[in-house]
Each structure stands twice: as structure tokens, then as C-alpha cells.
Amino acid sequence: MSAAPEVIVAVEVADIRFPTSLQLDGSDAMNPEPDYSATYVTVRTSGGAAGYGLAFTVGRGNDVQVAAVRALAPLVVGLPVADVLGDLGGFSRRLTGDSQLRWLGPEKGAIHMAAGAIVNAVWDLYGRREGKPVWRLLSELTPDQLVDLVDFRYLQDALTRAEALAILRRAEAGRAERTALLLERGYPAYTTTPGWLGYSDDKLVRLAKEAVADGFPLIKLKVGADLGGDVRRMRLAREAVGEHVHIAVDANQAWGVDQAIDWMTQLAPYRPYWIEEPTSPDDILGHAAIRRAIAPIKVATGEHVHNQVMFKQLLQAGALDVLQLDASRTAGVTENIAILLLAAKFDVPVCPHAGGVGLCEMVQHLAMFDYVAVSGTMQNRIIEYVDHLHEHFTDPVHVRGGRYLAPAAAGISARIHPSSVAEHRFPDGPVWSVDGDGVSGPHPLAGAPGLSTARTAQ
Amino acid sequence: MSAAPEVIVAVEVADIRFPTSLQLDGSDAMNPEPDYSATYVTVRTSGGAAGYGLAFTVGRGNDVQVAAVRALAPLVVGLPVADVLGDLGGFSRRLTGDSQLRWLGPEKGAIHMAAGAIVNAVWDLYGRREGKPVWRLLSELTPDQLVDLVDFRYLQDALTRAEALAILRRAEAGRAERTALLLERGYPAYTTTPGWLGYSDDKLVRLAKEAVADGFPLIKLKVGADLGGDVRRMRLAREAVGEHVHIAVDANQAWGVDQAIDWMTQLAPYRPYWIEEPTSPDDILGHAAIRRAIAPIKVATGEHVHNQVMFKQLLQAGALDVLQLDASRTAGVTENIAILLLAAKFDVPVCPHAGGVGLCEMVQHLAMFDYVAVSGTMQNRIIEYVDHLHEHFTDPVHVRGGRYLAPAAAGISARIHPSSVAEHRFPDGPVWSVDGDGVSGPHPLAGAPGLSTARTAQ
């Protein structure tokens, strides 16, 4: 009697929200009052195994994200685990190519982020099964196995399968040496902690100095709400960090193309290292125009760039100095392999977007894989770090002396403590049903949609 | 005692699906088995008035669309009607700019289509209040009123407010004359009815001949699944319609850039008029490369182009000969005014995407407004027409002799008969709970996600 094959039996999804808007952590020109949230996915198998992934959102709309995961779940439940793990490229295309669901994208928005959360959960399952962190699992796949994961249909005018193979084969020789170096020294990090718009000047200066003392080679300031304030904050930050620490700035899409050029010209005397999201993330030609106008200030974007076709064009158009991939904006690990290969082809460094909920935890695996097996270098590469909410994860990131230490635990590090999940469930978890004094009653933010809209509509 | 102001009291939403996959109506290279569906929105006021709008989808995922409308509803309920109708530009920005919900886009995917459905419902309310069809309502606004509706933030490098005003003022003189001509002669239509991939050769030839007899100057064929089959069908269609009727072809994103160029080179002997969606709708640079390679065959796209920033770039890059705006892919009437102005600035004709559920009904208003008050011409302009599902609308389109007759009823023509709504509610309406013989039981398509996935995954 042969045993029944192990199959995926459930795709569970939870709406988890953290009331971060109460502290103005994470405030920027477009996100004045975010409640950092996760559409938290658990994939379970008939063998009792599980994988964990998530899509990050900033509060309202996390319920739509949950609905999108539920819409994809029937495409996953019942599949044999061996078939899924044996063809993760096909699995990803199954989620992104469903002939009815793709109408909601295609390959963008809630349905694509939902695919990313599920794909990451399945990579987590794979890592746990192999007993390896995902960065190491990826770094030990052969070039042919990696290239098989990529959907080249819309990429071939910029990156062929043969070119991708050549990139990976070139990096193959040094894999062992770079793995050893990574385990010994970690990977460079920068911090956004000092720079949120909601912070006072004193807090900015204090946190900027702490960042330097902690060993970070780069800090980031949010800009774009008020030019005079930005000039003042940039000056204070430059004074606080000195001449040898980089200061990146981030406008979170606040500007039109010409406005971005004007604004950055005003900030140029304080030597910003890059301008991140100067305008609409969809505006490929706009980013290219801004880059031409403000060099040598670098142009960075990616956290809202929704798929590999957009990254392809940003690279083709010469619009980017820094590519900021995101763990779950696109279709997870699988699509990010393609994005890393595109970046390597165009010789543009990848500096992942992180922060939020679990993004630091997930993207470190991608950057480390890039170092070991794709670009083969850390030159001009750095991972964003924000010291928020890591305590909720079972395998939180470890950042020491301005560097991410390579994760050792199996999987993609996205598992949230069951107690944190229970506490932050929206809208019924205890965090959302008692106020700050622990007195039972509606949380000040629960059921208050539109509050921050009124502010942004001004 | 002053009367309380009239406010919006409800945003109702229904999941409506038509089991069109049973007939293979609407089958194409990427949508083998669509169930044409609508996320149907009713906006109600405290004065007892109502407006009707919808977002079109192709089946699974309509529930996600419904969740997205529900997420936006709290931003709408409670607003004074006079404030909304007095500042429809601000209303649209309120929906697309919510600081938390925009994370799901920004301005793309399910959340943006949901905004489009609500915005259209509010324009419908406005038209009903004024007793005018929306094309006429729009055509009677002043240039300043129209320009006030446009969000120029990300457009100004391609279209300034002053340029938009100049376009509208130039067209102002001839409005009355063109309105009279439109009422007398209607607006040109083309038909996609003969060309679905699921149809036999005999049915294709018969329907192509009927289309010519009905007075259509252009028919459209779906292509992209099989080159040999496409060549055969294109030859049959050319023989059926003769030399003086145009044949457009539509690949529904099936190809990469180089593949599109190769494929169209094979079809060129049969003189296709345009190739629609040759590749990913996100691939602006790819469309530009294809256009350069296959001229004089025209390049068309738009039904999946998710916002005005993408259309701006398609125009800037010289990627389009034909701009196919959609009624609810973008944020409805309001964003489409910006798109019409961009097209006029770049002198590219707008030929709206239609078909689906209610798209013919809605887009006719936009094309007619374009004729009367924006581009001022019907030259090289034509509206798609598919003879499906119109019987479910209270104000269905009237196409006679290959032309859309100008709608006379107030509103945007998107209202569905209450009986049709009740019958097609998913999953509990009678259409979805009895089989073809009227015997009670689950419909053959209900609860069968993944069926067509298996096909597209091949």
C-alpha cells in the first residue's frame, strides 16, 4: 500500500494590524497616519508542516488583501507538496496567471500582493523542509534551477534565459567564499528610524547621532511635505551625522517631475545620497527625466513598483541608480529572482525596501542570495532597517554594528508569534477592543476610516 | 428651521456574474473561459435619489472587487451631495488618495477599479439630477469646470492646466453644431462579435459577413493562441469582409515584444488595421518598440492600462496609434477626462474598449463628450461594440447601421434591471443555483475555481 502524497490542505489568512499611528512611527508625506498591518498567510500540509508569509499594508485595505488571498486559496489547496516545491516557477505562474483573477491586475495591486504572500509562505515551507534559511536554500540551487523559476515571457527583450544563466554561472565560483564572508560579517544596513516626518527636530538629531554611534553608514529622512522644513531637517541631520555618513531622502511620491527636480535642487547643498520615490512609482519616463536633471544625486524606487515588467523598463530607460525591491509587493521570492537578475544585467545595485511588518525579516534573504549567487558583491548595496515590531517575529532580524547578521533559522523569517497574531487581529483582537488604559471599549482608531483622508485631501 | 442637507446614505454593492463561459462568448488568448461579471454599485442619498455604476471583471475575483468597494464606502457615506457634485475632482482624489488604502495600488488594481465604479455611480447620480445623459452633462461644462476635475500632479511634464484649457477652448465654438450632428448621425462603432477564439471558422465567416451587412466599417479578431490558426482565420475574415472593411486584431497580452513583431509580420499580408494588446499592458517601452517595427500596422492598448500616469507615458514614448480607454479600469469619468485631454494633446485618437458588462453603455458617453468638447472630431475614432448582455440594462445602447445612437436618458446608462441583479447574484442567485435544465443544484461553474487555470498554465 503506497502512502497518499502529502498535499496542501489549507491556506489560512489573518488580518493583523498594529496601531502605529498613535506614535506617528512610519509617518511620511503620503502616509501621515499608517497602522502597520499584515495579511498573514499560513500554508498547511497534510503532513502537519506549515509555511508562513505575509503581505504588508498600512491599515485600511488589509481586509481587501485578505479577500484577495482567499480568492487565490482554491488554486493552492489540494496541490501535492512535491509538485509545488518541484516547480515553484509554475506555482507562481498558476497564481498570477489565473485567467479570471488576472483581470484584477494583471500582476499588480491587491491580487498580486496576495500572490506574493502565498509564494513567500511556500518558500518558507520549502526552507523549513530543507532545514535552511531561504537565502541559503536559494544560494545552493544551480543556475539552471534558478533560471527555471523565471517567467521570461515579457522580459526577453531585456534579459534572455541565456544571459540570466551566464550571470549566475559567473557568480558560481565564488559562492562558498562569499557565504563564509556573509556568515562572518553580515550585510550592510541603513536606518530610517531618525527620519519620520512626525518627529520633532530634537528627536531627529538625537536619533541621527544614535544611528551613527550604532555604526550605520547611511540614514534616511522623509521629505516632501514642506520645503522649508525639509531644508531645516536636512541641515540638522547633516550637522548631526557629519560629512562621512550618507543621508538618503525619501519623498514617498509627493512630487510631479518638475517639482521633484526643483525640490532636490534646494536640498542639494546638504548632499543627499539618493532621492527615493520622487514621483509616481508608475512614472518610468519621469524617473529617467529626474535622474538626468539631478545627477550626481541618485534616484531610487521600488517599494511600489508592482512587477518585473515595470522594473525591466526602469532599467531600460536608465531611470534608476538604486533598485529597491520589496518582499511582497511583487509575487514574492520567485518574481524577485527575476528582478535581481534584471538588476545584475543592467549593473544597478539592489538595496531592498524594508520596515513595515516583517519586511526586514524577508528581504534580508533576497539581498544575501544576491550577494552569494547573483551580483556577487555588496558594493553600493545596503538593506533598509527600521527598528519596529521585530519582537512579534519568532526569528527576528539581528542587526549589529550597522549590519544584518545572516539568519540561521530555517525558512524566510516571516513567522509571527501566535500570541501576537491573537492580540493584533483586526477588528476583534484585544489591541483593537480596549483603549490605551486597558479599559474595555472601542480603540480610538478602530472603525475610524477617513480620518487621515481628511488630512491628505487638504 | 433650515432643512438638513441631502447626504449620501449608502454605497450598496452586489456581486453579479453571467455564466458566459458556457457559450465561449468572450474567449481570447488570455481569457479562455470568462464569466462576465459586474461589481455593481448603487449610491443612495437621503433625498431618495440614486446613482448606478459598476466595475467589470471576468468572474473569480469579483468578490475581491466587492471587498474593495466596501473598503471605500466609509469615505463616501455621510458626505453632503452638494459638496460631492460641486467638487467631483476632489471627490475622486478622496477615493484614490486615502493614505492607507492607496497602499493597495497606488491607483491600480482592485482598489482603483472600485474607485472607478463609485465615481461613475456619482456621475450617474449627477446626470439623473440634471436630467441629462452624462455625455451631454460633460459637454455643457465650461472649460474651467472641466479642467478643475483633473489631477495634474503627475501630468504636468506632459500636459499643463493651461494647455488643457486651450484644448477645451479651441473646441468650445463648435459644440452646438457637433451636438446636433451627433444626435442626427450617431458615432461610429466596430464589432468584436465575429472574432472570439472559441468560434468555429464557419461561425467566424458568417458573423463577419453579417457585420459588413450591418454597416460596421471595422471588425476585430482575437489572435495569439496559435499562429497557423490566426493566419487561417485572418485570411477567411479578409475574404469575408472584402478589401474595404478594416480588420483589427487583438492578442490580449499573449506575446513578448519580439514575438509580437514576428507574429504580426506573418499576419501583415492580410492588412490588419491595428494590433491590440500585443504584450504586457505595463510595457510602455515594449509597445513603442513594437510600433516602430510593424508600422504601418497601428498599435492599440488601454483596457488594462491602470491610470493616467501610464497613458501619459504611452503617449510620451510614441507607443500608441489608438488609445483604448476603459470606463472603470481607471477612476471613472473623472480620470477619463484627463486621459481624453492627454490624447488630444498628443493627437492620438481615442477608440474606447467596450463589451463585457455595461462597458458599451458607459464608454459611449466618454467618446461622445470627446467629439463634442475635446478633440472635436470623429476622424479615425470608433467605439467597440459587442452584442452581449445589453438586455440587462435599463438604458441599453442603440447601435444602428454600424453607429451608436446618442443616449437620451439621464445618467451614464449603467443601471441594471433589478430582476437581472436578483437573478445573477453570485453565488446565491437562481442562475448560479440551478443547472441548465432548471433542476435545482449547484451550477456547473459555481465553486469551480482553477478550471481555466489548468488550461492557461499549459
Side-chain angles (χ1 to χ4, degrees):
Chain A
M1 192 177 100
S2 66
E6 184 180 14
V7 298
I8 293 174
V9 292
V11 176
E12 298 168 3
V13 59
D15 183 340
I16 309 296
R17 307 192 194 186
F18 299 88
T20 47
S21 64
L22 295 179
Q23 307 300 326
L24 295 185
D25 293 342
S27 58
D28 64 46
M30 297 296 261
N31 304 291
E33 294 172 314
D35 288 317
Y36 280 2
S37 303
T39 301
Y40 182 58
V41 171
T42 306
V43 171
R44 296 195 188 279
T45 81
S46 56
Y52 306 89
L54 62 84
F56 169 62
T57 77
V58 294
R60 288 186 296 283
N62 206 41
D63 46 342
V64 179
Q65 225 18 87
V66 166
V69 170
R70 291 204 173 114
L72 288 168
L75 304 178
V76 179
V77 172
L79 295 179
V81 174
D83 292 0
V84 170
L85 300 187
D87 181 16
L88 280 163
F91 177 73
S92 184
R93 287 191 290 279
R94 179 178 176 83
L95 298 187
T96 61
D98 177 80
S99 74
Q100 295 188 351
L101 290 170
R102 77 185 294 283
W103 191 270
L104 305 191
E107 299 180 48
K108 61 179 66 72
I111 198 73
H112 203 52
M113 291 164 68
I118 294 172
V119 165
N120 284 340
V122 168
W123 276 97
D124 185 64
L125 175 70
Y126 192 12
R128 289 171 186 275
R129 173 142 312 195
E130 300 290 318
K132 293 174 187 167
V134 164
W135 70 266
R136 188 148 201 167
L137 175 69
L138 287 167
S139 299
E140 292 175 8
L141 295 178
T142 67
D144 282 283
Q145 286 175 314
L146 288 166
V147 167
D148 281 346
L149 295 166
V150 175
D151 182 355
F152 284 99
R153 173 156 55 167
Y154 296 138
L155 300 186
Q156 294 184 69
D157 56 321
L159 177 73
T160 65
R161 185 185 163 92
E163 289 171 326
L165 261 180
I167 289 166
L168 293 165
R169 287 185 178 144
R170 197 166 60 223
E172 215 174 359
R175 283 184 180 189
E177 183 189 357
R178 285 192 295 275
T179 299
L181 274 171
L182 180 66
L183 289 168
E184 182 190 330
R185 302 186 193 170
Y187 195 106
Y190 75 88
T191 176
T192 308
T193 299
W196 302 108
L197 281 185
Y199 288 177
S200 69
D201 286 356
D202 286 351
K203 189 169 183 180
L204 161 64
V205 169
R206 175 170 57 78
L207 292 174
K209 288 181 174 171
E210 283 177 20
V212 176
D214 288 343
F216 292 103
L218 187 156
I219 68 167
K220 192 163 80 185
L221 260 55
K222 299 291 183 174
V223 297
D226 163 54
L227 178 57
D230 287 350
V231 170
R232 187 188 74 249
R233 292 167 64 251
M234 188 76 199
R235 179 174 52 73
L236 290 170
R238 176 55 73 201
E239 289 168 7
V241 304
E243 292 302 312
H244 301 297
V245 167
H246 289 308
I247 306 174
V249 296
D250 181 355
N252 291 88
Q253 315 164 27
W255 303 320
V257 173
D258 298 333
Q259 191 183 14
I261 294 167
D262 291 346
W263 204 293
M264 289 310 300
T265 304
Q266 304 292 317
L267 296 183
Y270 307 99
R271 295 191 297 105
Y273 184 66
W274 77 53
I275 172 61
E276 178 172 333
E277 292 205 303
T279 188
S280 163
D282 295 335
D283 200 346
I284 295 155
L285 302 178
H287 280 82
I290 293 166
R291 181 167 178 254
R292 285 192 300 271
I294 68 168
I297 302 171
K298 298 176 190 290
V299 170
T301 196
E303 71 184 84
H304 285 85
V305 174
H306 53 267
N307 63 36
Q308 60 188 25
V309 174
M310 296 299 284
F311 278 115
K312 177 188 78 165
Q313 293 174 86
L314 284 162
L315 294 165
Q316 288 175 314
L320 283 189
D321 297 286
V322 174
L323 189 154
Q324 301 179 298
L325 62 74
D326 181 273
S328 66
R329 172 71 61 185
T330 58
V333 170
T334 313
E335 187 165 9
N336 273 318
I337 293 169
I339 293 165
L340 290 171
L341 286 163
L342 282 164
K345 163 77 187 287
F346 285 88
D347 198 22
V348 168
V350 172
C351 300
H353 168 245
V357 181
L359 298 181
C360 300
E361 276 70 18
M362 291 190 285
V363 295
Q364 62 182 337
H365 293 274
L366 298 165
M368 292 176 186
F369 159 62
D370 178 64
Y371 170 62
V372 174
V374 186
S375 74
T377 177
M378 292 183 193
Q379 190 70 37
N380 296 323
R381 286 159 174 84
I382 196 162
I383 307 172
E384 183 165 20
Y385 175 64
V386 186
D387 189 12
H388 286 165
L389 306 175
H390 301 293
E391 66 275 20
H392 299 292
F393 287 82
T394 61
D395 301 306
V397 292
H398 294 285
V399 173
R400 302 281 181 274
R403 296 176 83 89
Y404 276 82
L405 306 187
I412 202 168
S413 313
R415 187 176 186 192
I416 300 177
H417 285 298
S419 58
S420 290
V421 173
E423 284 160 17
H424 295 87
R425 266 182 197 277
F426 186 89
D428 53 325
V431 162
W432 293 102
S433 53
V434 297
D435 68 22
D437 301 322
V439 180
S440 183
H443 188 278
L445 296 174
L451 274 182
S452 55
T453 302
R455 182 172 297 192
T456 51
Q458 283 169 359
Chain B
M1 192 177 100
S2 67
E6 183 180 14
V7 298
I8 293 175
V9 291
V11 176
E12 299 169 2
V13 57
D15 184 340
I16 308 296
R17 306 192 194 186
F18 300 89
T20 46
S21 64
L22 295 179
Q23 307 300 325
L24 295 185
D25 293 342
S27 58
D28 63 47
M30 297 295 261
N31 304 291
E33 294 171 314
D35 288 317
Y36 279 4
S37 302
T39 300
Y40 182 59
V41 171
T42 306
V43 171
R44 295 194 189 280
T45 80
S46 57
Y52 306 89
L54 62 84
F56 169 62
T57 77
V58 295
R60 287 186 296 283
N62 206 41
D63 45 344
V64 179
Q65 227 16 87
V66 166
V69 170
R70 291 202 173 115
L72 288 168
L75 304 178
V76 179
V77 172
L79 295 179
V81 173
D83 292 0
V84 171
L85 301 188
D87 181 15
L88 280 163
F91 177 73
S92 185
R93 287 192 290 278
R94 180 177 175 83
L95 298 187
T96 61
D98 176 81
S99 73
Q100 295 189 350
L101 291 169
R102 76 185 294 283
W103 191 270
L104 305 191
E107 298 180 49
K108 60 179 67 68
I111 199 73
H112 204 52
M113 290 164 67
I118 294 172
V119 165
N120 284 340
V122 168
W123 276 97
D124 185 64
L125 175 70
Y126 192 10
R128 289 171 187 275
R129 173 142 315 195
E130 299 290 318
K132 294 174 187 168
V134 165
W135 71 266
R136 189 148 200 167
L137 175 69
L138 287 168
S139 299
E140 293 174 9
L141 295 178
T142 68
D144 282 283
Q145 286 174 314
L146 288 166
V147 167
D148 282 345
L149 294 167
V150 175
D151 182 355
F152 283 98
R153 173 155 56 167
Y154 296 138
L155 300 187
Q156 294 183 68
D157 56 320
L159 177 73
T160 65
R161 185 185 164 92
E163 289 171 327
L165 262 180
I167 289 166
L168 293 165
R169 286 184 179 145
R170 196 168 57 224
E172 215 175 358
R175 283 183 179 189
E177 184 190 356
R178 286 192 294 274
T179 299
L181 274 170
L182 180 65
L183 290 168
E184 182 190 330
R185 302 185 193 170
Y187 196 105
Y190 75 88
T191 176
T192 308
T193 299
W196 302 108
L197 281 185
Y199 288 177
S200 69
D201 287 356
D202 285 351
K203 190 168 182 180
L204 161 64
V205 168
R206 176 171 55 80
L207 292 174
K209 288 181 174 171
E210 283 178 21
V212 175
D214 287 342
F216 291 103
L218 188 156
I219 68 167
K220 191 163 80 185
L221 260 56
K222 299 290 184 175
V223 297
D226 164 54
L227 179 57
D230 287 349
V231 170
R232 186 188 74 249
R233 293 166 63 253
M234 188 75 199
R235 180 174 50 75
L236 289 170
R238 178 54 73 200
E239 288 168 7
V241 304
E243 292 302 312
H244 302 297
V245 167
H246 289 308
I247 305 174
V249 297
D250 182 356
N252 291 87
Q253 314 163 27
W255 303 320
V257 173
D258 297 334
Q259 190 183 14
I261 294 167
D262 291 346
W263 204 295
M264 288 310 299
T265 305
Q266 302 293 317
L267 296 183
Y270 307 98
R271 296 191 296 106
Y273 183 67
W274 76 54
I275 171 61
E276 178 171 333
E277 292 205 303
T279 189
S280 163
D282 294 335
D283 200 345
I284 295 154
L285 302 178
H287 280 82
I290 293 166
R291 181 168 178 253
R292 286 193 298 273
I294 68 169
I297 301 171
K298 298 176 190 292
V299 170
T301 196
E303 71 183 84
H304 285 85
V305 174
H306 53 268
N307 63 36
Q308 62 188 25
V309 175
M310 295 299 284
F311 278 115
K312 178 188 77 165
Q313 293 175 86
L314 284 162
L315 294 164
Q316 288 174 313
L320 284 189
D321 298 286
V322 174
L323 190 154
Q324 300 179 299
L325 62 74
D326 181 273
S328 66
R329 172 70 62 183
T330 58
V333 170
T334 313
E335 188 166 8
N336 272 318
I337 293 169
I339 293 165
L340 290 171
L341 286 163
L342 282 164
K345 162 78 187 285
F346 285 86
D347 199 22
V348 167
V350 172
C351 300
H353 168 244
V357 181
L359 299 181
C360 299
E361 275 71 17
M362 290 190 285
V363 296
Q364 62 183 336
H365 293 274
L366 299 165
M368 292 175 187
F369 160 61
D370 177 65
Y371 170 63
V372 175
V374 187
S375 74
T377 176
M378 292 182 194
Q379 191 70 37
N380 296 323
R381 286 159 174 84
I382 195 162
I383 307 172
E384 184 166 19
Y385 174 64
V386 187
D387 189 11
H388 286 164
L389 306 174
H390 301 292
E391 65 275 20
H392 299 291
F393 286 82
T394 60
D395 300 307
V397 292
H398 294 285
V399 173
R400 301 282 180 273
R403 296 177 83 88
Y404 277 82
L405 306 187
I412 202 169
S413 312
R415 186 176 187 191
I416 300 179
H417 285 297
S419 59
S420 290
V421 173
E423 283 160 17
H424 295 87
R425 267 183 195 276
F426 187 88
D428 53 324
V431 161
W432 293 102
S433 54
V434 296
D435 68 21
D437 301 324
V439 180
S440 182
H443 187 276
L445 295 174
L451 274 182
S452 54
T453 302
R455 182 173 295 191
T456 50
Q458 284 170 359

